[in-house]
Amino acid sequence: MPRLPVRPRPAALPPPAPRPGEGNGEAGRADGLAEAGITIVDWIDERTSLTGSVRWLFFRKVPKGTNWFYTLGSATLFAFLSQAVTGVFLAMFYRPDAAGGAYESIRYITDRAFLGQFVRGMHLWGASVMVVLVFLHMGRTFLFGAYKYPRELNWVIGVVLLILTLVMALTGYLLPFDQRAYWATVVATNITATGPLIGPYLGDLLRAGPEFGATTLSRFYSIHMLVVPGLIAALIGAHLYLVTKLGTTAPPWKKAEPPTELRGTQT
């Protein structure tokens, strides 16, 4: 049977354009990887709904007059994350042994481990930087009046974070277990034990007994590596949630402007 002639394609329906990267192997693989990444992200977001949480956390209004003083909190968070990462690498080589293992492990990290001196230096100086940043952040919050209603709970959490940061600095100072660290910690624990009411009990808790001994190093190591970082991470999460929910305060020298309708009525 004779075939009917194929009708020409209408001009309004041109053939589909080639996809980007077709005919070029490198670009095609790159596009495929990009599409695979997008697909994976969509798959995760469909099951976790993280997009809404990320948008709620990052895309929010900020008051007029926001300046570099408002970055002290983020800088403190970055310092904490740096301390956490470098602390993990240091813990891979450190031994909390009061009979010489602690000091020798610090010597090994400093003298022989790959980039050990660099990582230890970051952790050592990062502790001082974090303490300074916490104080600056608290000072900025107080001077700007950001502790007032409805942010009182956030201020209390910040005070607790300040105390925990100082505890981290104290417990980490003993870990090299050299003469300076030993006697400085003895003085610090004795001062703590002279506090009213709970002072003696707190001193015994830190020393792991009535006297400063080998068990004290293990007690300080566990507090420094497990207890305090977990508390700090949990409180930072609560702190960021309240900051996002309640917003930030404008600088005290910025006066609130009345709405446009109210200004028109007044004039």
Side-chain angles (χ1 to χ4, degrees):
M1 294 179 61
R3 288 187 172 184
L4 296 174
V6 179
R7 298 182 59 183
R9 181 185 298 268
L13 297 175
R19 301 183 60 181
E22 288 186 354
N24 189 335
E26 284 298 320
R29 285 194 294 270
D31 291 340
L33 291 175
E35 290 183 4
I38 295 174
T39 303
I40 293 174
V41 171
D42 291 340
W43 185 85
I44 295 175
D45 181 66
E46 185 179 356
R47 285 152 181 82
T48 60
S49 301
L50 288 178
T51 302
S53 302
V54 172
R55 187 180 295 108
W56 177 76
L57 180 63
F58 290 103
F59 295 91
R60 62 182 188 272
K61 295 181 180 180
V62 295
K64 292 183 178 180
T66 301
N67 49 39
W68 285 100
F69 289 109
Y70 288 81
T71 62
L72 291 171
S74 301
T76 308
L77 176 60
F78 178 80
F80 172 73
L81 295 177
S82 175
Q83 290 298 98
V85 173
T86 54
V88 168
F89 284 109
L90 292 175
M92 294 179 182
F93 297 94
Y94 181 76
R95 288 181 294 160
D97 180 15
Y103 181 73
E104 291 300 325
S105 63
I106 292 296
R107 286 187 58 187
Y108 178 83
I109 292 172
T110 306
D111 300 334
R112 300 180 60 186
F114 176 69
L115 293 179
Q117 186 175 11
F118 173 73
V119 175
R120 188 192 171 202
M122 285 188 61
H123 196 76
L124 176 64
W125 290 103
S128 301
V129 170
M130 184 174 174
V131 171
V132 172
L133 287 174
V134 167
F135 274 102
L136 291 176
H137 181 51
M138 295 289 290
R140 198 279 305 172
T141 303
F142 179 78
L143 293 176
F144 282 28
Y147 59 90
K148 300 177 182 178
Y149 175 85
R151 300 174 179 85
E152 301 94 336
L153 179 60
N154 220 13
W155 170 259
V156 173
I157 293 176
V159 172
V160 177
L161 285 172
L162 172 63
I163 297 173
L164 291 177
T165 302
L166 296 178
V167 173
M168 282 281 288
L170 172 64
T171 54
Y173 197 84
L174 178 66
L175 299 186
F177 216 67
D178 53 7
Q179 288 292 324
R180 181 175 60 180
Y182 179 87
W183 291 111
T185 309
V186 168
V187 173
T189 53
N190 289 339
I191 292 175
T192 304
T194 59
L197 298 179
I198 64 172
Y201 302 100
L202 190 59
D204 291 344
L205 175 65
L206 292 175
R207 289 189 299 257
E211 298 294 336
F212 198 98
T215 315
T216 308
L217 179 62
S218 300
R219 177 66 57 87
F220 270 56
Y221 180 68
S222 62
I223 294 174
H224 185 77
M225 282 294 299
L226 301 174
V227 180
V228 179
L231 292 175
I232 289 179
L235 290 177
I236 285 178
H239 193 71
L240 292 177
Y241 170 78
L242 291 177
V243 169
T244 306
K245 179 179 177 60
L246 302 175
T248 57
T249 57
W253 57 84
K254 288 288 184 180
K255 295 183 179 180
E257 297 181 359
T260 307
E261 296 82 1
L262 182 59
R263 287 202 302 266
T265 303
Q266 293 175 347
T267 56

